[in-house]
Amino acid sequence: WEWYARLAHNQNILRAAWNSLLIGTVSSGLATLLGTMAALAVERFRWARPGLWEGFFFIPIVVPELMMAIGFLLLFGVFEFPFGLVTLILGHTTLNLPIVWLIVRARLKKLDPRLEEAALDLGATPWTAFWRVTFPLLSPAIVGGSLTAFAISIDDFVISFFVAGPNSTTLPIQIYSMLKFSIS
């Protein structure tokens, strides 16, 4: 128990853990909201080039994370955006959005559209039919996508390493720096 007590008093680790939890919570929340809305939009509306939209959401999954991190570094550098928690949240949201989109869209494809049509035939408004029929059926996928996004965000090292500022160290970066220099 001695080492756990020392860990609980290590301010650098505690600050890094707090940053990781904050970034993971905010970025997974944003990715869940945007990914769910995007899945609904791609699945429910007819688009001129549906393959183009699918490709747009698959790019962050297919592109190596190192290339995304370098892209973020260049993008934030060109616009002289200060590195810190905001850049970390933007990077993690971009990394996680396609994951949530994929999970929610897979669930949407399996939903029977006749259930929502039946609610509309029984007098529900489209908004009520969505919240009373579609959303409860989608909620396991939304929660699963959100938890997956949170886990990926907490674990992410590469994007965090490239876009973190001096006061926004995450837990993976802190552990890496401790391994590289000294472990107490």
Side-chain angles (χ1 to χ4, degrees), residues 79-147:
F79 290 109
E80 297 178 1
F81 203 82
F83 292 102
L85 289 176
V86 174
T87 55
L88 281 164
I89 289 169
L90 290 173
H92 285 218
T93 301
T94 305
L95 176 69
N96 289 322
L97 192 141
I99 309 258
V100 174
W101 176 81
L102 193 62
I103 292 170
V104 173
R105 183 141 186 253
R107 179 68 178 145
L108 266 171
K109 283 188 170 293
K110 291 188 177 219
L111 288 184
D112 188 358
R114 294 178 294 178
L115 296 172
E116 197 169 341
E117 290 171 10
L120 293 171
D121 287 344
L122 292 171
T125 64
W127 189 250
T128 304
F130 173 77
W131 284 108
R132 295 264 174 109
V133 177
T134 306
F135 185 76
L137 294 171
L138 277 181
S139 60
I142 293 169
V143 170
S146 179
L147 292 174

Side-chain angles (χ1 to χ4, degrees), residues 10 22 42 50 53 83 94 137 151:
N10 187 329
L22 178 69
V42 168
W53 290 105
F83 292 102
T94 305
L137 294 171

Side-chain angles (χ1 to χ4, degrees), residues 40-86:
L40 285 164
V42 168
E43 192 62 32
R44 293 289 172 95
F45 300 111
R46 298 292 166 233
W47 299 90
R49 293 190 173 106
L52 180 71
W53 290 105
E54 288 183 10
F56 174 76
F57 284 104
F58 279 119
I59 285 174
I61 294 174
V62 178
V63 172
E65 193 176 352
L66 179 62
M67 299 308 292
M68 279 183 61
I70 292 171
F72 283 130
L73 180 67
L74 293 173
L75 177 73
F76 296 142
V78 165
F79 290 109
E80 297 178 1
F81 203 82
F83 292 102
L85 289 176
V86 174

